[in-house]
Coordinates of all heavy atoms in Angstrom, one line a residue:
S872 N 23.5 -74.8 31.2 CA 22.8 -73.5 31.0 C 22.3 -73.4 29.5 O 21.3 -72.9 29.3 CB 23.9 -72.4 31.2 OG 25.0 -72.5 30.4
M873 N 23.1 -74.0 28.6 CA 22.7 -74.0 27.2 C 21.4 -74.8 27.0 O 20.5 -74.5 26.2 CB 23.8 -74.4 26.3 CG 23.5 -74.1 24.8 SD 23.3 -72.4 24.5 CE 22.5 -72.5 22.9
Q874 N 21.4 -76.0 27.6 CA 20.2 -76.9 27.5 C 19.0 -76.2 28.1 O 17.9 -76.3 27.5 CB 20.5 -78.2 28.2 CG 21.6 -79.0 27.5 CD 21.9 -80.3 28.3 OE1 21.4 -80.6 29.4 NE2 22.8 -81.2 27.7
V875 N 19.1 -75.5 29.2 CA 18.0 -74.8 29.8 C 17.5 -73.7 28.9 O 16.3 -73.5 28.6 CB 18.3 -74.2 31.2 CG1 17.2 -73.3 31.7 CG2 18.6 -75.3 32.2
L876 N 18.5 -72.9 28.3 CA 18.2 -71.8 27.4 C 17.5 -72.4 26.1 O 16.5 -71.8 25.7 CB 19.5 -71.1 27.0 CG 19.3 -70.0 25.9 CD1 18.4 -68.9 26.5 CD2 20.7 -69.4 25.5
R877 N 18.0 -73.5 25.6 CA 17.4 -74.0 24.3 C 16.0 -74.5 24.6 O 15.1 -74.3 23.8 CB 18.3 -75.2 23.8 CG 17.7 -75.8 22.5 CD 18.6 -76.9 22.0 NE 19.8 -76.3 21.5 CZ 19.9 -75.8 20.3 NH1 18.9 -75.8 19.5 NH2 21.1 -75.3 19.9
S878 N 15.8 -75.1 25.8 CA 14.5 -75.6 26.1 C 13.5 -74.5 26.2 O 12.4 -74.6 25.7 CB 14.6 -76.4 27.5 OG 13.2 -76.7 27.9
A879 N 13.9 -73.4 26.9 CA 13.0 -72.3 27.1 C 12.7 -71.6 25.7 O 11.5 -71.3 25.4 CB 13.5 -71.3 28.1
V880 N 13.8 -71.4 25.0 CA 13.6 -70.7 23.7 C 12.7 -71.5 22.7 O 11.8 -71.0 22.1 CB 15.0 -70.4 23.0 CG1 14.8 -70.0 21.6 CG2 15.7 -69.4 23.8
M881 N 13.0 -72.8 22.6 CA 12.2 -73.6 21.6 C 10.8 -73.7 22.0 O 9.9 -73.8 21.2 CB 12.9 -75.0 21.4 CG 14.3 -74.9 20.8 SD 14.4 -73.9 19.3 CE 13.4 -74.8 18.2
S882 N 10.6 -73.8 23.4 CA 9.2 -73.9 23.9 C 8.4 -72.6 23.5 O 7.2 -72.7 23.1 CB 9.2 -74.0 25.4 OG 7.9 -74.0 25.9
L883 N 9.0 -71.5 23.6 CA 8.4 -70.2 23.2 C 8.3 -70.0 21.7 O 7.3 -69.5 21.2 CB 9.1 -69.0 23.9 CG 9.1 -68.9 25.4 CD1 10.1 -67.9 25.9 CD2 7.7 -68.6 25.9
A884 N 9.3 -70.4 21.0 CA 9.4 -70.2 19.6 C 8.4 -71.1 18.8 O 8.0 -70.7 17.7 CB 10.8 -70.4 19.0
N885 N 8.1 -72.3 19.3 CA 7.3 -73.2 18.5 C 5.8 -73.2 19.0 O 5.1 -74.2 18.7 CB 7.9 -74.6 18.6 CG 9.2 -74.7 17.9 OD1 9.5 -74.1 16.9 ND2 10.2 -75.5 18.5
R886 N 5.4 -72.2 19.7 CA 4.0 -72.1 20.1 C 3.1 -71.9 18.9 O 3.5 -71.3 17.9 CB 3.8 -71.0 21.1 CG 4.4 -71.2 22.5 CD 4.1 -70.1 23.4 NE 4.5 -68.8 22.9 CZ 3.8 -67.7 22.9 NH1 2.5 -67.8 23.3 NH2 4.2 -66.6 22.4
S887 N 1.9 -72.4 19.0 CA 0.9 -72.2 17.9 C -0.5 -71.9 18.6 O -0.7 -72.2 19.7 CB 0.8 -73.4 17.0 OG 0.3 -74.6 17.8
Y888 N -1.4 -71.4 17.8 CA -2.7 -71.0 18.3 C -3.5 -72.2 18.7 O -4.3 -72.1 19.6 CB -3.4 -70.1 17.3 CG -2.9 -68.7 17.2 CD1 -2.1 -68.4 16.1 CD2 -3.3 -67.7 18.1 CE1 -1.5 -67.1 16.0 CE2 -2.7 -66.4 18.0 CZ -1.9 -66.1 17.0 OH -1.4 -64.9 16.9
D889 N -3.3 -73.3 18.0 CA -4.1 -74.5 18.4 C -3.4 -75.4 19.3 O -3.9 -76.5 19.7 CB -4.5 -75.3 17.1 CG -3.2 -75.7 16.3 OD1 -2.1 -75.5 16.9 OD2 -3.4 -76.2 15.2
G890 N -2.3 -75.0 19.8 CA -1.6 -75.8 20.8 C -0.6 -76.9 20.3 O 0.1 -77.5 21.1
S891 N -0.7 -77.1 19.0 CA 0.2 -78.1 18.4 C 1.6 -77.6 18.3 O 1.8 -76.4 18.3 CB -0.4 -78.5 17.0 OG -0.3 -77.4 16.2
Y892 N 2.5 -78.5 18.0 CA 3.9 -78.1 17.8 C 4.1 -77.6 16.4 O 3.9 -78.3 15.4 CB 4.9 -79.3 18.1 CG 6.3 -78.9 18.1 CD1 6.9 -78.4 19.3 CD2 7.1 -79.1 17.0 CE1 8.2 -78.0 19.3 CE2 8.5 -78.7 17.0 CZ 9.0 -78.2 18.2 OH 10.3 -77.8 18.3
A893 N 4.6 -76.3 16.3 CA 4.7 -75.6 15.0 C 6.0 -76.1 14.3 O 7.0 -76.4 15.0 CB 4.7 -74.1 15.2
D894 N 5.9 -76.2 13.0 CA 7.1 -76.6 12.3 C 8.0 -75.4 11.9 O 9.1 -75.5 11.4 CB 6.8 -77.3 11.0 CG 5.9 -76.5 10.0 OD1 5.4 -75.4 10.5 OD2 5.8 -76.8 8.9
S895 N 7.5 -74.2 12.2 CA 8.3 -73.0 12.1 C 8.5 -72.3 13.4 O 7.6 -72.4 14.3 CB 7.5 -72.0 11.1 OG 7.4 -72.5 9.9
S896 N 9.6 -71.7 13.5 CA 10.0 -71.0 14.8 C 9.6 -69.5 14.6 O 10.0 -68.9 13.7 CB 11.4 -71.2 15.1 OG 11.8 -72.6 15.3
H897 N 8.9 -69.0 15.6 CA 8.5 -67.6 15.6 C 9.3 -66.8 16.7 O 9.0 -66.8 17.9 CB 7.0 -67.5 15.9 CG 6.2 -68.2 14.9 ND1 5.9 -67.7 13.6 CD2 5.5 -69.4 15.0 CE1 5.2 -68.6 13.0 NE2 4.9 -69.6 13.8
W898 N 10.4 -66.3 16.2 CA 11.2 -65.5 17.2 C 11.6 -64.1 16.7 O 12.1 -63.3 17.5 CB 12.6 -66.3 17.4 CG 13.4 -66.4 16.1 CD1 13.3 -67.3 15.2 CD2 14.4 -65.4 15.7 NE1 14.2 -67.0 14.1 CE2 14.9 -65.9 14.5 CE3 15.0 -64.3 16.3 CZ2 15.9 -65.2 13.8 CZ3 16.0 -63.7 15.6 CH2 16.4 -64.1 14.3
A899 N 11.3 -63.8 15.5 CA 11.6 -62.4 15.0 C 10.4 -61.9 14.2 O 10.6 -60.9 13.4 CB 12.8 -62.4 14.2
D900 N 9.2 -62.5 14.3 CA 8.1 -62.0 13.5 C 7.0 -61.3 14.3 O 5.9 -61.2 13.8 CB 7.5 -63.2 12.7 CG 7.2 -64.4 13.6 OD1 7.5 -64.3 14.9 OD2 6.7 -65.4 13.1
G901 N 7.3 -60.9 15.5 CA 6.3 -60.1 16.3 C 6.5 -58.6 16.0 O 7.6 -58.1 15.9
I902 N 5.4 -58.0 15.9 CA 5.4 -56.5 15.7 C 5.6 -55.8 17.0 O 5.0 -56.2 18.0 CB 4.0 -56.1 15.1 CG1 3.9 -56.6 13.6 CG2 3.9 -54.5 15.0 CD1 2.6 -56.3 13.0
P903 N 6.5 -54.9 17.1 CA 7.2 -54.1 16.0 C 8.6 -54.6 15.7 O 9.3 -53.9 14.9 CB 7.2 -52.7 16.5 CG 7.4 -52.8 18.0 CD 6.6 -54.1 18.4
L904 N 9.1 -55.6 16.4 CA 10.5 -56.1 16.3 C 10.7 -56.4 14.8 O 11.8 -55.9 14.3 CB 10.8 -57.3 17.1 CG 12.2 -57.9 17.0 CD1 13.2 -56.9 17.4 CD2 12.3 -59.2 17.8
N905 N 9.9 -57.1 14.2 CA 10.1 -57.5 12.8 C 10.2 -56.3 11.9 O 11.0 -56.2 10.9 CB 9.1 -58.5 12.3 CG 7.6 -58.0 12.4 OD1 7.4 -57.0 13.1 ND2 6.7 -58.6 11.7
L906 N 9.3 -55.3 12.1 CA 9.3 -54.1 11.3 C 10.6 -53.3 11.4 O 11.1 -52.7 10.5 CB 8.1 -53.3 11.6 CG 6.7 -54.0 11.4 CD1 5.6 -53.0 11.7 CD2 6.6 -54.5 9.9
R907 N 11.0 -53.2 12.7 CA 12.2 -52.4 12.9 C 13.5 -53.1 12.3 O 14.3 -52.4 11.8 CB 12.5 -52.2 14.4 CG 11.4 -51.4 15.1 CD 11.3 -50.0 14.5 NE 12.6 -49.3 14.4 CZ 13.3 -48.7 15.4 NH1 12.7 -48.7 16.6 NH2 14.4 -48.2 15.2
L908 N 13.5 -54.4 12.4 CA 14.6 -55.2 11.7 C 14.6 -55.0 10.2 O 15.6 -54.8 9.6 CB 14.5 -56.7 12.1 CG 14.8 -57.0 13.6 CD1 14.5 -58.4 13.9 CD2 16.3 -56.7 13.9
Y909 N 13.3 -55.1 9.7 CA 13.2 -54.9 8.2 C 13.6 -53.5 7.8 O 14.1 -53.3 6.7 CB 11.8 -55.3 7.8 CG 11.6 -55.5 6.3 CD1 12.3 -56.5 5.7 CD2 10.8 -54.7 5.6 CE1 12.2 -56.7 4.3 CE2 10.6 -54.9 4.2 CZ 11.3 -55.9 3.6 OH 11.2 -56.1 2.2
E910 N 13.3 -52.5 8.6 CA 13.6 -51.2 8.4 C 15.1 -51.0 8.2 O 15.6 -50.3 7.3 CB 13.1 -50.3 9.5 CG 13.4 -48.8 9.3 CD 12.9 -47.9 10.5 OE1 12.5 -48.5 11.5 OE2 13.0 -46.7 10.4
M911 N 15.9 -51.7 9.1 CA 17.3 -51.7 9.0 C 17.8 -52.3 7.6 O 18.8 -51.8 7.0 CB 18.0 -52.4 10.1 CG 17.6 -51.8 11.5 SD 18.1 -50.1 11.6 CE 17.2 -49.5 13.0
L912 N 17.2 -53.3 7.2 CA 17.6 -54.0 5.9 C 17.3 -53.0 4.8 O 18.1 -52.9 3.8 CB 16.8 -55.3 5.7 CG 17.2 -56.4 6.7 CD1 16.2 -57.6 6.5 CD2 18.6 -56.8 6.5
L913 N 16.1 -52.4 4.8 CA 15.8 -51.5 3.7 C 16.7 -50.3 3.6 O 16.9 -49.7 2.5 CB 14.3 -51.0 3.8 CG 13.3 -52.1 3.6 CD1 11.9 -51.5 3.9 CD2 13.3 -52.7 2.2
Q914 N 17.2 -49.8 4.8 CA 18.1 -48.7 4.8 C 19.4 -49.0 4.0 O 20.0 -48.1 3.5 CB 18.6 -48.4 6.2 CG 17.4 -47.9 7.1 CD 17.0 -46.4 6.9 OE1 17.6 -45.8 5.9 NE2 16.1 -45.9 7.6
S915 N 19.7 -50.3 3.8 CA 20.9 -50.7 3.1 C 20.8 -50.4 1.6 O 21.8 -50.5 0.9 CB 21.2 -52.1 3.3 OG 20.2 -53.0 2.7
C916 N 19.6 -50.1 1.1 CA 19.4 -49.9 -0.3 C 19.9 -48.5 -0.8 O 19.9 -48.2 -2.0 CB 18.0 -50.0 -0.7 SG 17.3 -51.7 -0.5
F917 N 20.3 -47.7 0.2 CA 20.7 -46.3 -0.2 C 22.3 -46.3 -0.2 O 22.9 -46.9 0.6 CB 20.2 -45.3 0.9 CG 18.7 -45.1 0.8 CD1 17.9 -45.9 1.6 CD2 18.2 -44.2 -0.1 CE1 16.5 -45.7 1.6 CE2 16.8 -44.1 -0.1 CZ 16.0 -44.8 0.7
D918 N 22.7 -45.5 -1.1 CA 24.2 -45.4 -1.3 C 24.8 -44.8 -0.1 O 24.4 -43.8 0.4 CB 24.5 -44.5 -2.6 CG 25.9 -44.6 -3.0 OD1 26.7 -43.8 -2.5 OD2 26.2 -45.5 -3.8
A919 N 26.0 -45.4 0.3 CA 26.6 -44.9 1.5 C 27.2 -43.5 1.3 O 27.4 -42.8 2.3 CB 27.7 -45.9 1.9

Side-chain angles (χ1 to χ4, degrees):
S872 59
M873 191 62 198
Q874 290 176 357
V875 172
L876 177 62
R877 179 177 292 278
S878 172
V880 167
M881 298 310 294
S882 175
L883 292 170
N885 293 324
R886 289 182 304 128
S887 63
Y888 286 100
D889 59 5
S891 63
Y892 188 82
D894 61 347
S895 297
S896 297
H897 301 283
W898 64 273
D900 52 356
I902 294 176
L904 177 63
N905 58 345
L906 301 180
R907 293 302 309 282
L908 291 170
Y909 194 61
E910 182 182 4
M911 298 303 163
L912 292 173
L913 293 176
Q914 295 284 4
S915 67
C916 296
F917 292 93
D918 190 272

